[in-house]
Amino acid sequence: MTAFIIRRLLQSILVMLTVALVAFALFRFVGDPIASMVGQETTLAERQELREMLGLNDPFIVQFFTFVSRAVVGDFGISYRLQQPVMELILSRLPATLELALVSGFFAFIFGVGFGVYTALRRGGWLSSSIMTISLIGVSLPTFLIGVLLIWVFAVEFQWLPSFGRGDVVDLGGWWRTGLLTESGRASLILPAITLGLYQMTLIMRLVRAEMLEVLRTDYIKFARARGLTNRAVHFGHALKNTLVPVITITGLQLGSIIAFAIITETVFQWPGVGALFINSVRFVDVPVMAAYLMLIALVFVVINLIVDLLYYVVDPRLRVDRAGAGH
Amino acid sequence: MSQTEQSQTERGKTPGRLARAWDSDIAWSFRHSPVAIVAGAVSVLIILAAIFAPLIAPHDPFNPATLNLMDGFTPPMEPNAFTGNVYWLGTDNQGRDVFSTILYGARISLFVGFAAVILAMVLGIAAGLVAGYRGGWVDGLLMRFADVQLTFPSILLALLIFGIARGFIPPAYREEMAIWVLIVAIGLSDWVQYARVVRGATMVEKNKEYVQAAKVIGAHPAKIVLRHILPNVLGPVLVIATIGLALAIIAEATLSFLGVGVPPTQPSLGTLIRIGQGFLFSGEWWILLFPSITLLALALSVNLLGDWLRDALNPRLR
């Protein structure tokens, strides 16, 4: 057990170090850091002095170590474009992204499980078939196109919902500003959350449907029916309960993808989150923001994968017996 | 090898090459799948239209001399209020014919898509062959790297690679290099699938008798891998490449839509949709709708074609 955990931890640290190396290389080799700091009239001697003072003449390893130790405490320097500390920028935009990701994940889970159960139980019904067909289209539509089409229908044609921004936000004290407490904030959240969650919803729906169909054929379902349990108890107490373990795992793993696709959704809806910040940093080659986002997203993925692996280990006893024999 | 090749072509001559192709399993499966026929027809139609865009397009949208600003915002199938010109799919704000911009846009989308798939395929096949044939630490290293890469969604990776590569290119070359950077970014984000499949197939093939025989003759490992093993592992690669093309087209469209893909001087379908979104609120819906439909039709039909190919090449489903 400990050996496995240590190996996984080491692997995660190695991945983070590799990403840090890329981020550092960005810092070090994209343009001249001195040139982006000083004015034109700075003399060569002054530039040399500054270079020495900032440690830019130190060996590569020393500089990399300084970079990593600063990154660990969240110091990524100052954005070239916005002239603000990068961490401050990211923290001020993080709540918007997290709220969007959580709401759309919630939406995907509720509707995915609901539709999945319905289509599994009413197989062949016209509503089930149309849900399945629509989900097929939903999978093949690119995320940004879904967003644009939703804006067209609900914001332009019907004018029911706002098409951009977060609406009014309430300060929750500290740095967390939430849009969930105001009416315009909730209204602004609907379209982006659907856009972001639609793909995950179809994924969960298809998974739940497949698992339900599988479970409904098993013996314990027949026994449950033989015992005279109601349909409701059989479907939800027995069948659904047993499908939820893989569904929760997949949903957990998808959390990373939700954060990734948030970049697209945020750009479509001009949502003031971290993803939109990143896109702008790519467009204007704002290296500190890019590097920080790179590290942040890598951290999110590494942590999610680590947790899922450890959970598997706890849940599945087969992994515990002889891990070494499995060839990993 | 040369002898078997020769005897195959000789045998092929008797019923004729085309007839033989028509009678093959894969063609039979194609003729009996309405979805595949429609998807194939739509894909071929769009690809041909893109290739022959300069011949088909009513005017060249990138030649300012052929544009008339008075023609701007002409709705589809209606004569323009000032000039009386009629455009099938309407015009955009600069008077560019939407139909022509779509043809040229599809050209760029398909070029980026195909180039990215070829890059990913070459990288993936090379890595897979080496990992599968050599084994040992090379295999371990490549596959661990692939595992790590697989945990990230490929669109995010493409975006990150694009951002990093853009950082390393001097500002003066950023615009003109953008298309190549985009191809590299999408290609690098998508090689893992190929590598895994080829590695698996190579590991099966390398223990078969014909490889043993080649080894006994004393053939060079590179020759064994390229001439004997490679042709036998290409089947599944074809399936991945087809689905990969759909994904690459969508990835390109997404990045261009986000404004970090191809430069505005060479608009792809994604760029056109991005432009169209700007006119949504002022009511010029056709600037958005037609490029979106083209992108959707292209991605969906290539995707369906890939699905069909996967089933057709799967011996267990026959």
Side-chain angles (χ1 to χ4, degrees):
Chain A
M1 175 83 187
T2 21
F4 171 68
I5 292 177
I6 289 173
R7 202 162 37 225
R8 277 305 276 111
L9 271 177
L10 280 180
Q11 227 176 52
S12 309
I13 292 173
L14 202 68
V15 171
M16 283 311 292
L17 277 179
T18 317
V19 174
L21 193 66
V22 174
F24 172 68
L26 261 180
F27 253 114
R28 196 62 195 82
F29 300 115
V30 174
D32 182 8
I34 299 291
S36 61
M37 292 171 77
V38 298
Q40 268 185 327
E41 60 278 2
T42 321
T43 62
L44 218 57
E46 279 172 337
R47 281 170 196 247
Q48 266 314 321
E49 198 182 323
L50 192 61
R51 190 173 283 273
E52 189 64 43
M53 202 179 79
L54 290 172
L56 288 172
N57 290 335
D58 292 348
F60 185 83
I61 292 290
V62 176
Q63 288 193 39
F64 181 54
F65 183 76
T66 323
F67 174 78
V68 171
S69 51
R70 281 194 169 177
V72 168
V73 293
D75 179 5
F76 287 96
I78 291 167
S79 158
Y80 292 165
R81 190 170 64 97
L82 299 162
Q83 298 298 331
Q84 261 178 298
V86 173
M87 220 46 209
E88 216 172 82
L89 273 174
I90 288 187
L91 279 182
S92 72
R93 283 157 169 261
L94 203 57
T97 299
L98 288 182
E99 275 175 14
L100 176 61
L102 285 179
V103 170
S104 61
F106 198 67
F107 154 80
F109 190 77
I110 298 290
F111 281 87
V113 171
F115 284 149
V117 169
Y118 182 83
T119 49
L121 295 180
R122 296 273 146 77
R123 209 146 58 102
W126 65 270
L127 190 58
S128 300
S129 338
S130 36
I131 292 176
M132 290 303 284
T133 315
I134 292 171
S135 84
L136 191 69
I137 299 172
V139 171
S140 22
L141 267 176
T143 309
F144 74 90
L145 212 48
I146 295 174
V148 172
L149 293 180
L150 285 179
I151 289 181
W152 187 2
V153 174
F154 293 102
V156 178
E157 292 298 324
F158 293 136
Q159 306 199 337
W160 286 343
L161 296 164
S163 66
F164 66 90
R166 264 185 103 186
D168 297 325
V169 288
V170 178
D171 210 325
L172 282 187
W175 48 277
W176 194 287
R177 286 199 297 276
T178 179
L180 293 174
L181 296 177
T182 63
E183 201 166 315
S184 71
R186 282 192 296 266
S188 314
L189 194 55
I190 295 175
L191 289 185
I194 292 177
T195 307
L196 187 51
L198 205 61
Y199 183 78
Q200 324 291 336
M201 188 200 88
T202 47
L203 209 69
I204 293 172
M205 180 191 121
R206 284 170 170 266
L207 191 70
V208 169
R209 180 174 181 272
E211 291 280 330
M212 276 292 273
L213 290 175
E214 194 100 330
V215 170
L216 283 174
R217 273 199 293 267
T218 54
D219 286 340
Y220 65 83
I221 295 295
K222 286 184 194 136
F223 274 110
R225 288 201 196 284
R227 270 166 62 204
L229 293 181
T230 57
N231 263 340
R232 196 192 170 86
V234 172
H235 292 155
F236 294 97
H238 289 70
L240 182 62
K241 222 173 174 178
N242 280 290
T243 61
L244 281 184
V245 176
V247 172
I248 289 172
T249 324
I250 297 285
T251 317
L253 273 176
Q254 287 297 316
L255 209 64
S257 308
I258 288 191
I259 291 173
F261 283 112
I263 296 176
I264 302 165
T265 311
E266 282 175 12
T267 311
V268 175
F269 290 95
Q270 296 166 41
W271 190 261
V274 188
L277 181 73
F278 172 66
I279 283 290
N280 280 326
S281 76
V282 170
R283 220 182 286 161
F284 296 100
V285 198
D286 190 349
V287 175
V289 178
M290 269 165 70
Y293 185 83
L294 198 69
M295 301 280 288
L296 186 76
I297 208 87
L299 186 69
V300 168
F301 273 94
V302 163
V303 168
I304 288 175
N305 278 290
L306 193 64
I307 291 174
V308 169
D309 270 12
L310 294 181
L311 277 183
Y312 271 147
Y313 197 83
V314 174
V315 172
D316 195 339
R318 278 170 301 180
L319 289 172
R320 263 174 271 164
V321 183
D322 65 338
R323 186 73 199 176
H328 276 277
Chain B
M1 184 68 201
S2 61
Q3 215 169 10
T4 52
E5 235 171 36
Q6 208 179 5
S7 69
Q8 253 173 15
T9 44
E10 262 168 30
R11 256 190 290 134
K13 262 175 199 158
T14 27
R17 207 171 252 277
L18 267 177
R20 203 159 52 100
W22 179 255
D23 272 338
S24 68
D25 289 346
I26 194 104
W28 187 89
S29 158
F30 186 79
R31 274 180 283 148
H32 288 78
S33 163
V35 176
I37 293 174
V38 174
V42 173
S43 314
V44 168
L45 189 74
I46 297 178
I47 291 173
L48 284 181
I51 292 174
F52 296 109
L55 301 177
I56 302 171
H59 65 249
D60 180 358
F62 305 110
N63 183 359
T66 66
L67 299 181
N68 182 356
L69 272 179
M70 299 292 277
D71 272 340
F73 295 131
T74 314
M77 302 301 282
E78 278 174 39
N80 183 283
F82 306 104
T83 60
N85 292 336
V86 179
Y87 295 93
W88 283 9
L89 303 183
T91 61
D92 68 3
N93 55 331
Q94 298 174 42
R96 290 190 298 202
D97 172 32
V98 171
F99 179 61
S100 306
T101 55
I102 288 175
L103 287 179
Y104 280 88
R107 215 171 188 212
I108 290 169
S109 289
L110 280 166
F111 173 70
V112 173
F114 272 109
V117 165
I118 290 171
L119 177 67
M121 203 157 75
V122 169
L123 281 178
I125 290 176
L129 284 175
V130 170
Y133 193 73
R134 265 289 155 77
W137 67 269
V138 182
D139 180 31
L141 191 73
L142 277 170
M143 287 304 118
R144 276 303 84 74
F145 190 77
D147 283 347
V148 171
Q149 179 162 343
L150 262 191
T151 56
F152 298 90
S154 59
I155 189 99
L156 177 68
L157 271 177
L159 197 57
L160 292 175
I161 298 171
F162 185 83
I164 293 168
R166 215 170 130 83
F168 283 111
I169 294 173
Y173 298 103
R174 267 178 203 152
E175 288 287 287
E176 54 184 287
M177 295 282 286
I179 252 182
W180 301 103
V181 175
L182 192 61
I183 290 169
V184 170
I186 297 174
L188 283 183
S189 70
D190 212 31
W191 63 276
V192 176
Q193 302 276 348
Y194 302 93
R196 286 197 152 191
V197 166
V198 169
R199 171 182 175 263
T202 307
M203 284 165 80
V204 174
E205 295 293 325
K206 78 171 173 189
N207 294 322
K208 290 197 174 158
E209 281 90 351
Y210 70 92
V211 178
Q212 305 279 339
K215 272 188 195 161
V216 170
I217 297 170
H220 192 267
K223 194 188 167 190
I224 297 179
V225 167
L226 291 178
R227 293 212 53 183
H228 301 288
I229 294 182
L230 181 61
N232 287 304
V233 299
L234 279 181
V237 167
L238 200 63
V239 177
I240 305 176
T242 316
I243 295 172
L245 178 64
L247 291 178
I249 290 171
I250 287 181
E252 184 278 325
T254 304
L255 292 190
S256 297
F257 177 83
L258 296 178
V260 293
V262 295
T265 47
Q266 291 166 297
S268 71
L269 290 176
T271 324
L272 293 178
I273 295 170
R274 174 188 172 81
I275 296 170
Q277 194 199 3
F279 297 111
L280 206 47
F281 282 92
S282 47
E284 285 88 17
W285 49 270
W286 58 90
I287 307 176
L288 171 72
L289 183 68
F290 296 120
S292 307
I293 289 177
T294 314
L295 175 69
L296 193 61
L298 184 60
L300 195 62
S301 60
V302 175
N303 221 333
L304 288 172
L305 217 52
D307 279 350
W308 160 77
L309 201 60
R310 184 180 52 207
D311 294 346
L313 290 179
N314 188 346
R316 271 178 300 178
L317 284 180
R318 267 186 210 145

